[in-house]
Amino acid sequence: MNVSSQHPNPSATVIRSLLQHDHELSVYANDMAYPLKATVAELDPRSGLLVLEVEYAGPDIERYLTGSGLNVDMEVLKGPQAMERETYSLSNIATRLIKTDSALYRLECHLPESVFVAENRGAIRVPFILGMHARVSIEVYLHELSVPGRLRNLSVGGCMVDIDLADSVAINVDQDIPGVTLEFPNGESFFAESKVRHIRPFGNHGHAAVGLQFAHLTRHQTEALFRYVSESEREAAYRTGTNDKMTQHSPLFIPGAKERKILQRDIQEHEKHARQPPMERGVMGIAHQLQVGLMYMKARQLFPEKIFYDCADALRYLIEQDRKAFLYALAFLRDEPSWVRHAVQVAGHLADMLLMRDPHDPRVREAVLGALLHPMGKPLLISAELPSLKVNMNPAQKAVLREHVAALSRKLSELRWSPSPTCREVIENASERLDGSGYPAGKRGEALSELIRLVAVIKAVNRQLHASNGVPPRTPLDAYRRIHEAAAAYDKTVLVEYIQAYGLYPIGSLAKFSGGFLAWVMDIDGKGMPRQVHVIKNLRFPETNISNVLGSSDFLQIGKLEDIVDPADYGIRVLKV
């Protein structure tokens, strides 16, 4: 990358600062089903010329350059463990497209002369850049569901909020929001009703951007909002150095006692966690892409076929790369939304067992795709009547949820996407049972194929191993026993095959040892017993985390294996960036 430096352009100054850290750039367009990854080839801070390179094999790359220009997202991870996330978005950039190879393009972008974006009637939109931040709470359903986020830009007309991708399932375009609260670092806050104007995925670390338009503002609210926008503009000017008169931070962005306490807690949490290994990032990436795909279906009325097939292909690739590392990584989805965790874990075990049966089985790709899509009808049902999938549901809500297969089928039909026979079979029948106790059609016996009998057992085990509707998770042994005792609902031969494949102490389980140690099972022997574990905690010192990998010959150091336990009982969580 070639960088010169004379009389810097403000937008280029921000980008140059962010390029010093781990970063990812993407080019997006509202009518395209996925963003393109981009790299910076040149940046001239004086002229504001930014040259990006992208690879794209399709015939329609021009669609990423809308009539008003190019849209670019920049996502940066900072700090010693790259756990501090910062973003910068640019829209409607004047761009020239040059094809340099069969699938390689050069995008010559002329950056705007200001970081502030002009809006209607002379108003401006202020980006929250170079460490500026404010916390946000979006009350999606009154007294029922609130979603936390970070403010990414602000104007007197509205704002853009960065939220967890998992929380985006409850938010739709044109949805009325009873209240959004902005809390600035010094403790001041602003509250208003709003309306969702747009929602889209942001970056590659499980986040979404929600555009909100403020509504029904009183004179007092309007006056306060003008002040907050003015102070934000002052802070951005100070941080970018674009106004020599700005020599210190705006008081609005000087952390008060509450903010300092929150920041200190965040730092302590970050220090406890190292970056994820590649296999865990790969599995987490699949989970995030599933949620991105769902967002395209809901917000843009597109079925992103490539995204979903890429997920299915990535699962198979990871298994073939390192099967045991893949099974271990699946456990780190435990804090993802239940439908996502269930989809990826069930699809992962389905791919694993089908490949163990026959590495050349032509059904694997479509069957895995069906398993990934099958639970997606559940978030499609979220509404005021079913505001969240996390709550302990009443009977009426449970009845609504049983319609998820029909909800997904309707959505696929609406988007004019027709699954293959194998994929459709899994989507429609994965919740059926041999004794007719399943749904949606209550099929039984010979009406269910060998593939569905396998899916049914995998799904049942997975459901038993995780908490649901106030019911705590079971140990693997208890889960196997319960499924075996479920009369004629499941194929006993398949259950035995599953137990032989994963054992009583499956890879990815959290084991408790008599010496008071907790350890993740990383590998098992031919009898299904752990032979390698990752020790993470000594319960005699619960506030201290440890990290030691031990083989079975060293197990005497941590005591006798007692049982499999629930990570939630010991406050063990996966930290998200």
Side-chain angles (χ1 to χ4, degrees):
M1 182 185 69
N2 177 35
V3 179
S4 63
S5 57
Q6 297 181 41
H7 309 296
N9 169 288
S11 301
T13 298
V14 176
I15 293 175
R16 181 172 59 175
S17 174
L18 297 177
L19 288 176
Q20 309 309 310
H21 307 277
D22 289 341
H23 61 274
E24 296 172 338
L25 282 89
S26 54
V27 172
Y28 71 92
N30 287 335
D31 62 344
M32 298 301 282
Y34 57 92
L36 301 180
K37 290 185 178 181
T39 58
V40 177
E42 297 176 29
L43 175 62
D44 185 339
R46 183 184 59 81
S47 67
L49 175 66
L50 170 68
V51 179
L52 302 178
E53 289 185 346
V54 299
E55 291 187 18
Y56 186 66
D60 55 353
I61 191 171
E62 291 83 3
R63 292 177 64 186
Y64 283 93
L65 278 74
T66 62
S68 50
L70 192 72
N71 301 319
V72 176
D73 282 337
M74 190 170 186
E75 189 175 34
V76 174
L77 299 182
K78 302 165 67 174
Q81 295 179 345
M83 296 299 286
E84 180 186 346
R85 179 173 169 273
E86 190 168 341
T87 66
Y88 185 43
S89 296
L90 287 160
S91 57
N92 305 328
I93 310 170
T95 301
R96 186 162 70 110
L97 175 68
I98 303 170
K99 187 171 186 176
T100 59
D101 204 343
S102 59
L104 186 64
Y105 294 86
R106 176 183 172 97
L107 298 170
E108 296 184 350
C109 309
H110 296 278
L111 297 173
E113 292 295 331
S114 173
V115 295
F116 307 120
V117 179
E119 294 192 328
N120 295 333
R121 298 185 298 277
I124 63 165
R125 183 166 72 244
V126 181
F128 275 47
I129 49 179
L130 301 181
M132 292 174 62
H133 77 277
R135 302 180 191 278
V136 181
S137 177
I138 303 172
E139 190 171 20
V140 182
Y141 298 115
L142 190 63
H143 309 313
E144 291 286 347
L145 177 66
S146 290
V147 169
R150 289 286 187 110
L151 196 60
R152 292 307 182 193
N153 67 45
L154 178 66
S155 74
V156 293
C159 62
M160 186 170 80
V161 183
D162 185 322
I163 66 171
D164 193 305
L165 193 57
D167 292 326
S168 68
V169 297
I171 299 175
N172 298 296
V173 175
D174 294 329
Q175 182 174 348
D176 291 322
I177 300 296
V180 57
T181 302
L182 316 181
E183 186 171 350
F184 295 92
N186 74 337
E188 291 189 52
S189 63
F190 172 79
F191 174 87
E193 296 177 48
S194 63
K195 191 180 191 71
V196 179
R197 284 308 182 196
H198 63 80
I199 181 169
R200 63 179 179 83
F202 195 115
N204 298 292
H205 296 276
H207 292 259
V210 182
L212 299 175
Q213 178 182 343
F214 298 131
H216 309 127
L217 295 178
T218 64
R219 182 176 61 82
H220 175 73
Q221 286 174 309
T222 301
E223 290 173 353
L225 189 55
F226 268 100
R227 185 171 72 84
Y228 292 136
V229 172
S230 177
E231 290 297 313
S232 299
E233 181 183 3
R234 170 182 167 182
E235 182 70 12
Y238 169 69
R239 296 193 183 217
T240 56
T242 56
N243 189 335
D244 294 337
K245 295 180 180 179
M246 302 300 177
T247 59
Q248 59 185 5
H249 289 288
S250 160
L252 198 65
F253 290 89
I254 298 175
K258 178 181 177 182
E259 181 65 20
R260 288 195 300 270
K261 186 175 181 179
I262 294 173
L263 290 173
Q264 183 62 34
R265 185 184 64 201
D266 289 346
I267 291 171
Q268 292 172 348
E269 284 296 313
H270 291 162
E271 288 175 347
K272 293 179 183 178
H273 296 79
R275 295 185 68 179
Q276 295 171 316
M279 186 64 76
E280 290 174 28
R281 290 202 299 272
V283 168
M284 195 69 74
I286 293 170
H288 291 162
Q289 286 302 101
L290 269 188
Q291 296 172 79
V292 168
L294 173 65
M295 187 182 295
Y296 280 118
M297 290 169 63
K298 291 179 60 182
R300 300 187 187 175
Q301 298 302 306
L302 291 171
F303 184 81
E305 184 177 65
K306 183 180 185 302
I307 287 179
F308 293 133
Y309 271 111
D310 282 352
C311 289
D313 293 340
L315 277 177
R316 178 168 187 161
Y317 172 78
L318 294 177
I319 292 171
E320 292 174 340
Q321 283 289 106
D322 189 334
R323 175 179 177 266
K324 291 181 177 179
F326 170 76
L327 296 176
Y328 182 66
L330 284 180
F332 292 87
L333 295 173
R334 61 187 178 275
D335 290 340
E336 291 298 300
S338 59
W339 73 269
V340 177
R341 174 199 51 73
H342 185 71
V344 178
Q345 289 179 341
V346 168
H349 283 105
L350 176 62
D352 184 47
M353 293 192 71
L354 287 175
L355 291 171
M356 283 193 291
R357 286 179 173 184
D358 178 4
H360 307 292
D361 188 340
R363 302 173 301 166
V364 172
R365 191 185 197 217
E366 295 297 332
V368 169
L369 178 62
L372 289 171
L373 295 176
H374 171 76
M376 200 168 285
K378 295 179 180 180
L380 289 174
L381 291 169
I382 289 179
S383 63
E385 290 71 33
L386 184 65
S388 173
L389 300 177
K390 300 177 184 178
V391 299
N392 293 335
M393 298 182 191
N394 58 41
Q397 291 172 328
K398 290 179 182 178
V400 170
L401 199 61
R402 285 175 68 92
E403 296 297 317
H404 72 89
V405 177
L408 177 61
S409 296
R410 286 194 301 270
K411 191 65 177 179
L412 296 181
S413 177
E414 177 186 324
L415 300 180
R416 299 182 180 179
W417 186 77
S418 180
S420 70
T422 298
C423 181
R424 184 184 298 277
E425 180 184 16
V426 175
I427 289 174
E428 294 181 351
N429 298 315
S431 295
E432 300 286 2
R433 302 289 177 264
L434 288 175
D435 62 356
S437 61
Y439 65 90
K443 296 180 182 178
R444 61 174 61 234
E446 295 304 317
L448 302 179
S449 68
E450 180 187 5
L451 174 61
I452 296 303
R453 293 168 187 236
L454 174 60
V455 174
V457 168
I458 294 172
K459 276 174 52 67
V461 173
N462 189 269
R463 187 174 63 252
Q464 294 284 332
L465 295 180
H466 295 86
S468 176
N469 253 343
V471 179
R474 300 180 184 276
T475 65
L477 180 59
D478 286 343
Y480 299 154
R481 182 183 295 119
R482 190 170 181 83
I483 293 168
H484 184 268
E485 293 171 351
Y490 303 98
D491 189 317
K492 301 293 194 299
T493 304
V494 174
L495 177 60
V496 171
E497 180 186 2
Y498 185 99
I499 297 171
Q500 289 174 339
Y502 304 111
L504 300 181
Y505 304 93
I507 293 173
S509 301
L510 185 64
K512 184 174 182 293
F513 288 80
S514 60
F517 291 89
L518 298 180
W520 294 109
V521 178
M522 298 182 71
D523 195 5
I524 57 176
D525 60 23
K527 296 181 180 179
M529 298 297 293
R531 65 181 178 190
Q532 186 181 51
V533 299
H534 180 199
V535 184
I536 60 168
K537 193 174 284 290
N538 181 346
L539 294 178
R540 289 175 293 180
F541 307 97
E543 299 303 317
T544 303
N545 292 329
I546 54 180
S547 179
N548 291 313
V549 176
L550 299 179
S552 54
S553 60
D554 297 316
F555 283 3
L556 289 176
Q557 299 177 29
I558 55 178
K560 183 181 178 182
L561 176 62
E562 291 185 339
D563 208 349
I564 298 300
V565 295
D566 181 10
D569 289 343
Y570 299 91
I572 297 172
R573 300 175 56 252
V574 176
L575 184 70
K576 294 186 179 182
V577 177

